[in-house]
Amino acid sequence: MVSFHDQFVQHAPSGFEVPDALAQAWAFMESRGWGGIGADDEPFLTPYPGESQLGPVFSTRLSIRGWLDPDAPGAERLVPIAETDGAGGLALIWIDDQGEHRFVGLSSDGGGGLRLADTALDFLRLLAIGYEEFNEFAFGEEPYVDPEDDEEDDPVAAHAEFRAWVESTFEVDVPPSWDVEQDEAFDGWLTPLVEQYGLGFD
């Protein structure tokens, strides 16, 4: 069976290499059976068990077309890796001017890009907290848990096994909350491309 990682690379821009920590996380999710096959036979993985969407969903065939023509010059430096809400928000890897991988978020509500993390390991720490959606309204506080929800609908509890794996595998702590900010460098790179080849920021 072809791994999620290998299928992702097949659809990624030529020469793109998945950061090692992220590849390890995908392999762990696969080993736990957290994922499946979605629309159009598209493989997906989640950092939590079950069929409910309680956080980001990794997919092999996501597109930046909602923001930017994927064939635009430089578009290969922006690689979507996960849906971050139910309305089309994305987590992406941006290859910056120094060739470093930066993890950024684009919201379905428009606006500029959010700096999620500067390394793959920090992105995994963020992922393990248990935010149900990645948007500017969610961050800065501990994830909201509806007291009327059943335990199986608690996103923080759903990420518990993944959180333990991140902490033990990489010998790091996962914090209870995460702060983000607008990524001015990313916006400065993306905005001119969007104005010429995309839909533009709202």
Side-chain angles (χ1 to χ4, degrees):
M1 176 180 289
V2 180
S3 69
F4 180 91
H5 170 276
D6 289 346
Q7 293 183 70
F8 185 92
V9 170
Q10 288 175 9
H11 293 91
S14 177
F16 177 77
E17 295 185 6
V18 177
D20 183 62
L22 182 57
Q24 288 185 60
W26 286 347
F28 173 73
M29 294 174 206
E30 280 188 302
S31 75
R32 304 301 297 151
W34 297 345
I37 303 296
D40 300 322
D41 295 325
E42 180 178 353
F44 68 90
L45 288 174
T46 57
Y48 47 85
E51 297 181 1
S52 298
Q53 184 169 342
L54 299 173
V57 177
F58 293 98
S59 177
T60 61
R61 301 177 197 171
L62 295 173
S63 175
I64 59 173
R65 190 171 298 279
W67 288 271
L68 178 66
D69 183 345
D71 295 322
E76 71 280 356
R77 292 172 55 185
L78 191 58
V79 183
I81 57 174
E83 293 182 349
T84 55
D85 59 41
L90 295 175
L92 313 96
I93 294 176
W94 171 49
I95 302 172
D96 68 16
D97 292 342
Q98 287 71 47
E100 299 295 328
H101 288 173
R102 299 256 292 267
F103 290 77
V104 297
L106 288 173
S107 170
S108 56
D109 296 329
L114 295 176
R115 179 184 297 186
L116 300 177
D118 286 335
T119 68
L121 179 52
D122 274 352
F123 180 72
L124 296 184
R125 294 173 67 225
L126 162 59
L127 193 67
I129 293 173
Y131 286 106
E132 191 167 6
E133 295 187 347
F134 280 16
N135 58 54
E136 60 183 336
F137 306 107
F139 295 121
E141 304 286 344
E142 294 185 22
Y144 174 73
V145 177
D146 190 331
E148 296 185 2
D149 281 348
D150 295 332
E151 185 175 341
E152 63 185 19
D153 295 321
D154 180 340
V156 176
H159 286 78
E161 187 174 350
F162 180 71
R163 186 161 52 248
W165 176 83
V166 169
E167 291 184 327
S168 63
T169 299
F170 300 102
E171 298 181 343
V172 295
D173 292 327
V174 172
S177 64
W178 198 266
D179 292 319
V180 302
E181 58 187 22
Q182 293 294 126
D183 193 324
E184 295 181 1
F186 173 61
D187 286 348
W189 171 82
L190 182 60
T191 299
L193 288 178
V194 169
E195 290 174 346
Q196 186 170 1
Y197 299 103
L199 301 178
F201 290 145
D202 294 337

